[in-house]
Amino acid sequence: MFKPASSESKKEAQLFNRYEDPTGDFTNRDLQFSEWYLKHKVWLRHVVMVFLIAIIVVFGGYGLYGIFEYAFYGYSHDEQVRAGLTRNNVSVQAIQKSVAAEPITFDSVSYFSAGENVVDLLALAKNPNERWAAEVFYVFANGGQETSVASAWVWPKQTMALTVFAADASIGTEQTRLVIKKINWRRLDNRAYPNPNQFLADRLNSEVTDFVFTPASTVPGAAYSQVKFKLVNKSVFGYWQGAFVAVLRKGDSVVAIRPFVLDSWLATEQRPVELIVKDLNVDLDSIEVFANLNLFDNDNYQLTQ
């Protein structure tokens, strides 16, 4: 059984709590804290020791784990990495192929009567590349004969008509073939041409309107059939000179081709064009115009006044 505290001990505790240092340097709070520290000093030491031991166990164990992990796995992995650095696993051919231009595809050769003992020759070229333009130098050949070298620009994702006009009729047969002499590739790099599709759409933007075909048989005394249309420049760019090819069709079949040149073709201009077709047996119902323009040649652009 606990004995109640005596009145004297209670009185001593009250006097201790009311202790005041005459100098004012040691307060009653400081006295109470000192008393608590002395009573709990051993306990605090145990707490600190347990905390420090826990830190040593955690970090020491992690360090030992790292040593064993590197000894059994990390070291061999590092050796493999070092060995790999001395080997070139990158295929140079694969890199070159990824940035090189894909080949242009060419349709079969067509030939059309263009008068006595002469023919016009046509092969369509398609450029599958997105950033490679091609200046194609070509001839049409048959046996030991070939035409003079001609050239045309085939722009990215575009189709171009490769043509030779008024060639010797002996070249225009089923055995006639297209021979590529040279292709000058030019890349539309990202800095100068961030959007190549837009670059082309802004410049190769024309439309054929008011198309009329008049067969020679419908006009008394006419020597040739006649094609009339307007070529509308729908772009904001004018050109000092432009070479064009009119591909004349009956349904899906090409029946004739005709060249023409426009000088000082202004932006948004509607230019009337008249062409003759010497083959009197030709009948047609549509036209497609291909522009052979060097869009890289800034000197050919005509500023709008």
Side-chain angles (χ1 to χ4, degrees), residues 46-62:
H46 290 164
V47 170
V48 171
M49 289 179 63
V50 170
F51 177 73
L52 294 177
I53 291 172
I55 291 178
I56 292 172
V57 170
V58 171
F59 288 98
Y62 183 78

Side-chain angles (χ1 to χ4, degrees), residues 94-297:
I95 295 176
Q96 291 175 341
K97 185 177 180 180
S98 66
V99 298
E102 296 182 29
I104 294 174
T105 59
F106 302 94
D107 289 351
S108 58
V109 176
S110 302
Y111 61 96
F112 313 96
S113 174
E116 187 175 357
N117 297 323
V118 292
V119 292
D120 295 334
L121 301 166
L122 166 70
L124 295 179
K126 299 177 182 178
N127 186 348
N129 298 284
E130 186 173 352
R131 287 193 170 274
W132 285 99
E135 187 179 16
V136 181
F137 295 84
Y138 61 93
V139 299
F140 291 94
N142 190 343
Q145 294 181 292
E146 63 180 33
T147 62
S148 300
V149 178
S151 67
W153 280 94
V154 188
W155 295 98
K157 299 295 183 180
Q158 301 288 322
T159 299
M160 183 59 195
L162 307 184
T163 58
V164 167
F165 295 95
D168 190 277
S170 61
I171 296 180
T173 69
E174 296 296 331
Q175 287 71 43
T176 303
R177 67 188 188 281
L178 176 70
V179 179
I180 304 301
K181 294 293 187 179
K182 181 176 64 172
I183 297 180
N184 290 338
W185 292 100
R186 179 162 176 179
R187 180 175 172 80
L188 281 72
D189 64 87
N190 293 332
R191 290 185 178 181
Y193 308 96
N195 189 336
N197 293 331
Q198 192 63 47
F199 170 79
L200 297 175
D202 289 343
R203 290 159 176 79
L204 299 177
N205 189 2
S206 61
E207 181 183 11
V208 173
T209 63
D210 302 332
F211 167 72
V212 177
F213 172 61
T214 305
S217 59
T218 63
V219 180
Y224 307 110
S225 299
Q226 190 176 58
V227 175
K228 292 183 179 181
F229 61 92
K230 289 181 180 179
L231 188 62
V232 183
N233 184 0
K234 300 180 70 175
S235 78
V236 296
F237 297 92
Y239 302 94
W240 287 109
Q241 188 178 76
F244 299 86
V245 175
V247 176
L248 309 174
R249 302 177 184 272
K250 178 66 174 179
D252 294 332
S253 301
V254 178
V255 296
I257 55 175
R258 289 281 79 204
F260 63 97
V261 174
L262 297 183
D263 292 322
S264 189
W265 192 36
L266 301 178
T268 70
E269 179 186 2
Q270 299 184 35
R271 181 70 64 88
V273 180
E274 295 185 10
L275 305 174
I276 61 171
V277 181
K278 294 184 178 181
D279 187 351
L280 300 181
N281 297 319
V282 165
D283 185 24
L284 56 99
D285 54 20
S286 65
I287 182 174
E288 184 178 8
V289 174
F290 294 88
N292 188 11
L293 298 171
N294 181 0
L295 303 181
F296 292 128
D297 184 6

